[in-house]
Amino acid sequence: MKKGISTRCVHAGEEPEPTTGAMGTPIFQNTTYLYPNPDLPKADDARVGDYYIYTRYNNPTVEALERKVADLEGAGSAVAFASGMAAISTTLLTIAGKGGHIVSARDLYGGTYSLMRDILPSLGIEVTFVDTRDAHSFGRALRDDTRMVYCESITNPVLKVADIPELAGIAHAASVPLVVDATFSTPVNQNPLSLGADVVVHSGTKYLGGHSDVVSGVVATNDELAHDIRERMIFLGGCIDPSAAWLLIRGLKTLELRVARQNVTARWLAEYLEGQPKVRSSLHPEMESHPDNELAQRVLRGGGGMVTFELEDLEACHRCLDAFEVITVAPSLGGIESIVSLPVDTSHWELDDEELASLDISRGHVRLSVGIEDIEDLREDLLRGLDAV
Ligand SMILES: Cc1ncc(COP(=O)(O)O)c(C=O)c1O
């Protein structure tokens, strides 16, 4: 029988090191390897993983990470990258191909949006943006040259939940894959592949690493597509460093513990904030008042560690953030420390009022990535912030 998620976080993909019996995966911090036999092998052969030749192609530490993530996602294979953006860009370039068209949710991490809006079109790849909440708009945007449908499982910052089974049906009816960025949901709360998606990508920098100390990315999919993505990775060059891979393996061992705690704390704090007079609205997918709550119950096992709440205006947000003592004002998310940021000052700073409104984002939105601190300390800190408003 398949082992539980906590067991797999700890053990999957790893064996004691065969030479010494060392427990845990060592960091193979080397770039090159002895040729295995006197007949000089072709570098291309090393890509299949029969032996090692050069770390951009493959590396034992990186392979252990890839096996662990593939297991956690229920995928045939995984490919690790130097960043989430390297994982996303390599995946999109592999699947979209020359002149291909992508249908993507508009509700995207800012870096992915810039890639799709500015860089892919310069390479002849067109993207049509649609609303995560309107599955039919994905279907309407499909064209004969569409190569993929793309979305994020839970979006930033207003935590829209993607209907992966529905979007997978739409993509498959057009014989194209559904690619899901599941950074916000993590393999603890959702396995997009088991819901019908074909490819799952993560910024490992967030929950997978979990300690705000390693930039990384991972793609998990079937063996054939993973092989093609790895081929592109080798030549586009976004391979992960072995030390970074080891940090990710280390972080993944506690993924379930961290995310289970973050699910509970985030929901509790979101509900607490909803009852505060200075808070206009508070969002967490597990709250009944969340617009996608019914869908969230079907496609997520937990609502995740992100909470977004709304104050009167940007000035109120600045006063609130300035008063925090435990919660750190910084970009990024998914770490053990609680981090707060304002979408209009960070991820969405380029957008005018009309664009913000089209994404349901207001100038009063505060995005909180809940860490693993004591719930009471976080509650007090939020109250300290609200008192200063
Ligand atoms: C949802 C999502 N996807 C991808 C990325 C990009 O990841 P990275 O910073 O590891 O390149 C981010 C970064 O914030 C993100 O939030």
Side-chain angles (χ1 to χ4, degrees):
M1 208 174 80
K2 198 168 168 102
K3 304 271 190 300
I5 178 99
S6 289
T7 308
R8 290 186 289 130
C9 283
V10 176
H11 295 290
E14 296 186 86
E15 297 287 343
E17 199 277 319
T19 316
T20 60
M23 270 189 64
T25 302
I27 309 175
F28 285 89
Q29 193 65 47
N30 50 289
T31 57
T32 193
Y33 305 81
L34 296 177
Y35 276 139
N37 62 53
D39 307 322
L40 291 185
K42 290 197 216 65
D44 278 8
D45 295 343
R47 279 185 243 157
V48 295
D50 291 343
Y51 52 87
Y52 300 101
I53 188 163
Y54 188 57
T55 278
R56 176 158 47 78
Y57 287 63
N58 58 0
N59 171 284
T61 312
V62 174
E63 285 180 348
L65 166 65
E66 292 173 341
R67 285 193 299 268
K68 196 183 278 295
V69 175
D71 185 288
L72 293 177
E73 283 295 8
S77 302
V79 186
F81 288 86
S83 68
M85 285 312 300
I88 292 167
S89 56
T90 306
T91 301
L92 297 188
L93 288 171
T94 304
I95 300 174
K98 192 176 165 207
H101 169 250
I102 297 173
V103 177
S104 173
R106 167 64 187 90
D107 312 276
L108 291 174
Y109 163 63
T112 311
Y113 180 57
S114 298
L115 172 69
M116 290 201 189
R117 187 195 58 185
D118 304 329
I119 298 177
L120 294 186
S122 76
L123 302 173
I125 299 169
E126 278 186 51
V127 185
T128 304
F129 293 106
V130 293
D131 181 0
T132 300
R133 282 204 173 115
D134 181 2
H136 296 299
S137 65
F138 285 81
R140 284 195 299 273
L142 289 168
R143 307 191 323 208
D144 289 346
D145 59 349
T146 301
R147 297 279 174 272
M148 127 186 36
V149 174
Y150 188 95
C151 70
E152 294 183 1
S153 57
I154 303 177
T155 72
N156 173 35
V158 290
L159 311 180
K160 295 183 186 178
V161 178
D163 191 340
I164 293 175
E166 175 92 20
L167 296 184
I170 290 168
H172 295 164
S175 305
V176 299
L178 172 66
V179 180
V180 178
D181 179 337
T183 300
F184 274 42
S185 48
T186 84
V188 176
N189 288 330
Q190 185 183 63
N191 291 119
L193 303 183
S194 72
L195 295 171
D198 303 277
V199 184
V200 54
V201 294
H202 287 280
S203 166
T205 316
K206 317 299 186 210
Y207 290 97
L208 302 192
H211 294 70
S212 308
D213 56 9
V214 57
V215 176
S216 56
V218 194
V219 178
T221 181
N222 60 57
D223 293 341
E224 200 182 330
L225 194 47
H227 177 271
D228 292 350
I229 292 170
R230 185 181 302 284
E231 292 261 319
R232 295 295 190 292
M233 183 272 281
I234 287 171
F235 297 118
L236 292 171
C239 61
I240 192 169
D241 181 78
S243 291
W246 186 86
L247 276 172
L248 209 56
I249 291 172
R250 165 77 168 255
L252 277 166
K253 288 180 191 288
T254 56
L255 179 72
E256 197 280 335
L257 280 179
R258 287 183 280 109
V259 173
R261 168 78 165 256
Q262 286 160 319
N263 282 341
V264 172
T265 309
R267 179 184 174 164
W268 192 91
L269 291 175
E271 282 172 351
Y272 175 76
L273 285 165
E274 196 175 39
Q276 297 302 309
K278 291 179 186 166
V279 174
R280 288 185 159 184
S281 62
S282 168
L283 290 166
H284 183 266
E286 280 188 85
M287 284 165 72
E288 272 175 31
S289 56
H290 188 289
D292 301 328
N293 179 252
E294 185 272 325
L295 171 63
Q297 289 182 35
R298 277 193 284 123
V299 299
L300 294 169
R301 293 185 285 262
M306 303 299 294
V307 173
T308 297
F309 59 97
E310 190 183 2
L311 302 179
E312 193 182 351
D313 52 23
L314 189 56
E315 219 174 290
C317 293
H318 285 150
R319 281 201 295 271
C320 177
L321 266 55
D322 282 349
F324 288 149
E325 290 175 10
V326 178
I327 301 168
T328 311
V329 182
S332 202
L333 60 116
I336 32 88
E337 62 287 274
S338 293
I339 285 181
V340 73
S341 64
L342 303 178
V344 294
D345 279 353
T346 54
S347 52
H348 295 76
W349 68 272
E350 275 185 301
L351 305 192
D352 60 27
D353 285 338
E354 202 179 318
E355 288 172 304
L356 287 173
S358 72
L359 294 173
D360 305 312
I361 301 171
S362 97
R363 295 198 178 274
H365 269 138
V366 180
R367 186 190 83 174
L368 174 63
S369 168
V370 174
I372 60 166
E373 300 94 337
D374 290 280
I375 205 163
E376 184 54 21
D377 291 331
L378 294 175
R379 187 193 68 82
E380 262 182 29
D381 215 31
L382 286 169
L383 210 50
R384 195 175 292 121
L386 292 177
D387 281 348
V389 168

